[in-house]
Amino acid sequence: MTSISTVGHADVSAVPKAKSRNLALDRARTFLTLVVLLHHAVIPYTYFGHTDPKYFFGFDMIVLATDSFFMAMFFFLSGLFAWSGIARKGPLNYLADRLLRLGLPFVICAFTVIPLAYYAISLRHQPEIGFSEYYWNMITKGPWPSGPIWFLWVLLGFDLVACLLYRLSPNLLDPINRLSLYGRRRPAVFFAVMLAVTAAFYVPGLMRYGQSSWFEFGPFSVQHGRVMLYASYFFFGAGIGVANMDRGLLAADGRMARVSWDWMVLAIVPYCLLWVLIFIKREILGNPSPLPNWYEGLYALCFAVFSVAIMFLILAFFQRFKQSGSAKLLDPMQSDAYGMFLVHYPFALWLQYWLFDYDLPAIVKATIGFVLTVAASWALTRALRQIPGASRVL
């Protein structure tokens, strides 16, 4: 989740220069941050989460959609500035900056934000446990969940791989960059190639590991079946950002934004098919474990199509309506979005803990949780950024 900037005119293999900020990408990143907060606000009231007695099917629809794209899109947006950053700063300096921006927050959050958040869940099952006892058991015996901060260490790992690949060959991602330049006029071609590659990585991974298999080592965790999906998004973004980003797929005057309704159709169709497959799993197959390979393969394929299509739709929307008042509403939050991502989880879980005993509709509970989580995490981020040097991290 790096700062958003564009790349100046250059040859594909040239070292890019910083230019003015791309507001469309900034707003897309801020929008995704709010989607993360919404996702965590509604999960307790879904079929999958259902940690609260209240339930609303509409939240299942939201969670299915958000879980299918938002973290992959975060990796894509972060990748946009990786290769150009390495070229400008050099691999060692770039990696040092990323350790400060990603590694330090991961360590701090793993020892503070995450225990504070999950203590709310622990109290629901063990109301007599004190925080000090819970904290000590978490870091010494486990499990030590990572919550949403797993994104930080995985992104740092991708940045490390990008630095190593850059040392191997600075021109390694030039084919993706040339495809991006072509995508300015023919975005469907870029879409098709990206879909083919991401599906090739994700479908076998899901068929091998399933949807619920996680790598876990202390606070380090990630879904086995999605690691390579996230990596493919990151490096497609990095390829676009090699050079000439303002003249490629994401160009302000490119064709991508002008065909935004096409991306909507491409997103809606696989999303509906995902629900058909969920119905088959629950009502026809009887929720077997493990699921048949044919089912996992079909689900992964629909997932991959939806994920790429909705990302294109969001990028096209913010590019097409960059002058609209509704898009500009996100601007005041842009500089605080990363900090909100880091600190929001305790607010979300403690609000859900507090709301649990109230006999309110699920929609009311989720709305209260979402609004207060946004307000509290934004206010805390603003306060933290006043600390000298904190803005370099947050």
Side-chain angles (χ1 to χ4, degrees), residues 200-256:
F201 280 117
Y202 181 58
V203 173
L206 187 67
M207 293 176 67
R208 170 66 176 82
Y209 294 104
Q211 299 181 41
S212 58
S213 176
W214 284 71
F215 163 82
E216 294 178 316
F217 180 76
F220 299 91
S221 62
V222 67
Q223 280 178 281
H224 282 117
R226 294 191 185 182
V227 174
M228 295 307 297
L229 174 75
Y230 296 145
S232 62
Y233 271 78
F234 176 84
F235 283 103
F236 265 102
I240 293 173
V242 165
N244 296 312
M245 194 162 72
D246 57 342
R247 297 194 304 176
L249 178 74
L250 303 177
D253 60 347
R255 183 169 169 76
M256 181 180 185

Side-chain angles (χ1 to χ4, degrees), residues 99-110 149 152 338 342 393:
L99 282 169
L100 179 65
R101 182 77 166 166
L102 299 172
L104 181 60
F106 177 81
V107 173
I108 293 174
C109 289
I149 67 166
L152 303 182
Y338 180 45
L342 294 176
V393 178

Side-chain angles (χ1 to χ4, degrees), residues 277 279-289 291-292 294-295:
L277 288 169
F279 175 83
I280 291 173
K281 179 183 72 171
R282 294 177 183 173
E283 303 300 328
I284 298 177
L285 299 181
N287 276 326
S289 182
L291 287 161
W294 65 264
Y295 180 92

Side-chain angles (χ1 to χ4, degrees), residues 49-67:
H50 212 86
T51 55
D52 189 281
K54 301 298 182 179
Y55 169 75
F56 176 56
F57 176 71
F59 293 152
D60 287 272
M61 299 179 69
I62 291 174
V63 169
L64 178 66
T66 54
D67 180 65

Side-chain angles (χ1 to χ4, degrees), residues 67-133:
D67 180 65
S68 301
F69 80 93
F70 65 161
M71 298 314 298
M73 188 171 176
F74 267 135
F75 283 110
F76 176 85
L77 292 176
S78 298
L80 287 172
F81 312 98
W83 209 258
S84 59
I86 297 169
R88 187 171 63 253
K89 300 176 182 179
L92 292 180
N93 288 334
Y94 177 81
L95 195 57
D97 287 347
R98 302 307 282 160
L99 282 169
L100 179 65
R101 182 77 166 166
L102 299 172
L104 181 60
F106 177 81
V107 173
I108 293 174
C109 289
F111 283 94
T112 57
V113 171
I114 294 304
L116 284 171
Y118 279 94
Y119 183 51
I121 296 178
S122 178
L123 281 179
R124 185 58 60 189
H125 302 286
Q126 297 176 283
E128 73 285 352
I129 192 169
F131 180 72
S132 58
E133 180 185 357

Side-chain angles (χ1 to χ4, degrees), residues 149-172:
I149 67 166
W150 65 265
F151 170 79
L152 303 182
W153 81 267
V154 176
L155 178 57
L156 182 60
F158 292 162
D159 282 321
L160 174 60
V161 172
C163 289
L164 295 174
L165 292 176
Y166 185 87
R167 291 294 299 269
L168 180 65
S169 172
N171 303 322
L172 198 61

